């Protein structure tokens, strides 16, 4: 598309998700009539080997210090994918450098850090959003539309979450996500929580009270050197909440699940909402379909629907083909750049700063609930 605006992108943190961004930029022509063409121009990472991966792929600027990347005039937008303990420092530095960015969840190691980042944005023009790609699956998008349609009637119950089994192997070596000094006291809540929170918060299902069940199953893991290291973050979290009903004064039950040890699951994102007259549910465990519930002639009927490759931003891919995680990432970034240009329209947007701060408030209440074994009001 000849009228596409070139946007120069720098990546701070060249791990798994940074490499995914590099790969998806190579697939950008799959998008139809997108107003932007991103180009990866810079990488910042403390590892020489990590930076070499990007320079071998043609990225021209390579820095061991992220501050040099932020100072580069060859960077318009930054993707920041670093451990949680570095979020506050680097996000605020990016804001002060005048850079737009998409930051990884949880947008700070805790609520205090998230609120400091949010405060740093006051009066600034930076365009900032938060990574959350799973709601961009076609089935999830269809579920969101159904929830917004009014077909559900008065909400009875909402559930959402992310379940995976990355830590089911007790012999797996410890990494930063299993250590409080890097991942914070909230642990799995911060790492996986935005997956559970994004759609409910976007639909206006705001938690008002929280009762948390947090579980530390594997307490120690072996380091690369063979030493036993405390695995001092929670493996699993289940939040039973009361949520405000956007249509009336009644509160309804809402459940968020975030689990690193979920036997039988690989990496399952799910969302369901049930009301008095309808319902909807979607899971990436069966990503080619979503389900709707309705009352018909006095009977309760669940229907299975195949949405096909019906993406948030249109693509060249045929409707009959399967949609996967790389497609969801592409859609998230398409939404980010289009919204940044003011051309997203009524399409689904990336997670906002206010939404992620609201999620942090929920996680802080969950930690207090765990400590007191009581329901905690937000």
């Amino acid at each position: 598309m000849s009228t596409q605006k070139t946007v120069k992108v720098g990546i701070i943190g060249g791990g798994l998700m940074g490499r995914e961004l590099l790969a998806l930029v190579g697939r950008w022509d799959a998008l139809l009539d997108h107003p932007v063409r991103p180009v990866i121009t810079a990488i910042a990472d403390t590892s020489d080997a990590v930076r070499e991966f990007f320079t071998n792929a043609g990225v021209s600027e390579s820095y061991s210090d992220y501050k040099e990347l932020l100072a580069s005039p060859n960077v318009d937008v930054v993707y920041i994918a670093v451990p949680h303990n570095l979020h506050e420092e680097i996000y605020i530095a990016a804001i002060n450098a005048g850079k737009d960015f998409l930051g990884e969840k949880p947008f700070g190691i805790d609520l205090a850090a998230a609120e400091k980042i949010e405060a740093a944005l006051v009066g600034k023009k930076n365009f900032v959003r938060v990574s959350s790609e799973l709601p961009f699956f076609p089935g999830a998008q269809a579920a969101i539309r159904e929830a917004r349609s009014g077909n559900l009637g008065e909400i009875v119950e909402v559930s959402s979450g992310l379940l995976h089994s990355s830590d089911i192997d007790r012999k797996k070596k410890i990494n930063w996500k299993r250590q409080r000094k890097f991942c914070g006291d909230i642990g799995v809540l911060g790492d996986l929580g935005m997956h559970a929170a994004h759609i409910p918060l976007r639909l206006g299902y705001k938690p008002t009270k929280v009762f948390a069940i947090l579980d530390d199953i594997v307490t120690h893991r072996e380091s690369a050197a063979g030493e036993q290291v405390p695995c001092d973050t929670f493996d699993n979290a289940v939040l039973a909440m009361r949520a405000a009903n956007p249509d009336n004064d009644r509160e309804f039950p809402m459940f968020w699940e975030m689990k690193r040890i979920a036997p039988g699951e690989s990496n399952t994102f799910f969302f369901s909402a049930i009301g008095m007259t309808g319902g909807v549910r979607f899971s990436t465990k069966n990503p080619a379909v979503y389900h709707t519930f309705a009352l018909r002639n006095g009977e309760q009927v669940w229907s299975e629907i195949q949405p096909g490759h019906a993406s948030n931003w249109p693509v060249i891919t045929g409707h009959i083909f399967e949609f996967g995680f790389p497609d969801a990432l592409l859609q998230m970034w398409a939404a980010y750049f289009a919204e940044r240009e003011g051309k997203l329209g009524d399409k689904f947007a990336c997670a906002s700063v206010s939404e992620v701060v609201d999620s942090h408030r929920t996680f802080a209440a969950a930690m207090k609930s765990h400590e007191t074994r009581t329901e905690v009001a937000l």
Side-chain angles (χ1 to χ4, degrees), residues 56-332:
N56 286 344
V59 176
S60 59
E61 297 183 14
S62 173
Y63 304 105
S64 59
D65 186 342
Y66 76 86
K67 294 175 185 176
E68 293 182 82
L69 183 148
L70 292 178
S72 172
N74 202 33
V75 173
D76 304 313
V77 167
V78 186
Y79 174 45
I80 308 175
V82 296
H84 306 169
N85 61 308
L86 300 177
H87 286 191
E88 180 183 341
E89 173 191 330
I90 298 179
Y91 291 7
I92 290 177
I95 293 167
N96 292 335
K99 301 296 188 184
D100 296 340
F101 66 91
L102 187 141
E104 270 297 336
K105 54 186 174 49
F107 212 72
I109 199 168
D110 55 21
L111 174 60
E115 289 179 332
K116 287 178 184 176
I117 300 166
E118 183 183 42
L121 284 165
V122 174
K124 303 289 179 60
K125 296 182 179 179
N126 311 69
F127 180 75
V128 178
R129 292 293 181 266
V130 185
S131 178
S132 176
E133 64 280 337
L134 295 172
F136 287 92
F137 269 79
Q141 289 291 299
I144 293 165
R145 289 192 295 271
E146 186 71 9
R148 285 173 166 168
S149 71
N151 293 337
L152 276 57
E154 185 172 355
I155 298 297
V156 174
E157 184 174 298
V158 169
S159 297
S160 61
L162 187 70
L163 314 175
H164 65 65
S165 54
S166 64
D167 281 11
I168 199 168
D169 181 5
R170 289 181 179 269
K171 295 180 181 179
K172 179 181 177 180
K173 303 294 186 183
I174 197 165
N175 63 26
W176 69 266
K177 288 188 177 182
R178 283 75 187 170
Q179 298 181 71
R180 187 173 295 178
K181 63 183 178 180
F182 301 114
C183 210
D185 291 344
I186 60 175
V188 71
L189 292 164
D191 192 39
L192 303 184
M194 198 61 206
H195 294 301
H198 189 176
I199 293 178
L201 292 178
R202 181 63 55 83
L203 291 173
Y205 306 154
K206 205 162 182 179
T208 59
K209 298 179 181 68
V210 181
F211 184 84
I213 302 173
L214 310 182
D215 198 3
D216 186 15
I217 301 169
V218 180
T219 59
H220 289 76
R221 289 189 181 272
E222 198 174 78
S223 69
E227 300 173 335
Q228 288 293 310
V229 179
C231 186
D232 56 2
T233 62
F234 297 106
D235 297 298
N236 291 351
V238 177
L239 307 188
M241 299 178 284
R242 303 175 193 270
N245 194 319
D247 298 320
N248 57 45
D249 295 332
R250 182 185 140 264
E251 293 183 334
F252 58 87
M254 180 164 68
F255 302 90
W256 292 356
E257 294 185 53
M258 296 135 279
K259 295 180 179 178
R260 289 198 184 105
I261 300 178
E265 307 292 342
S266 178
N267 189 56
T268 302
F269 165 75
F270 68 91
F271 169 77
S272 70
I274 305 297
M276 291 294 287
T277 57
V280 68
R281 63 189 181 203
F282 169 75
S283 169
T284 55
K285 198 166 188 177
N286 195 6
V289 302
Y290 70 100
H291 296 87
T292 60
F293 166 76
L295 296 172
R296 296 176 188 164
N297 301 319
E299 295 183 333
Q300 303 182 59
V301 179
W302 276 103
S303 300
E304 180 176 289
I305 303 169
Q306 298 184 45
H309 206 295
S311 53
N312 188 52
W313 194 276
V315 292
I316 62 172
T317 309
H319 184 267
I320 64 171
F321 295 118
E322 301 297 330
F323 189 98
F325 183 76
D327 300 298
L329 279 176
L330 181 63
Q331 288 295 318
M332 180 185 74

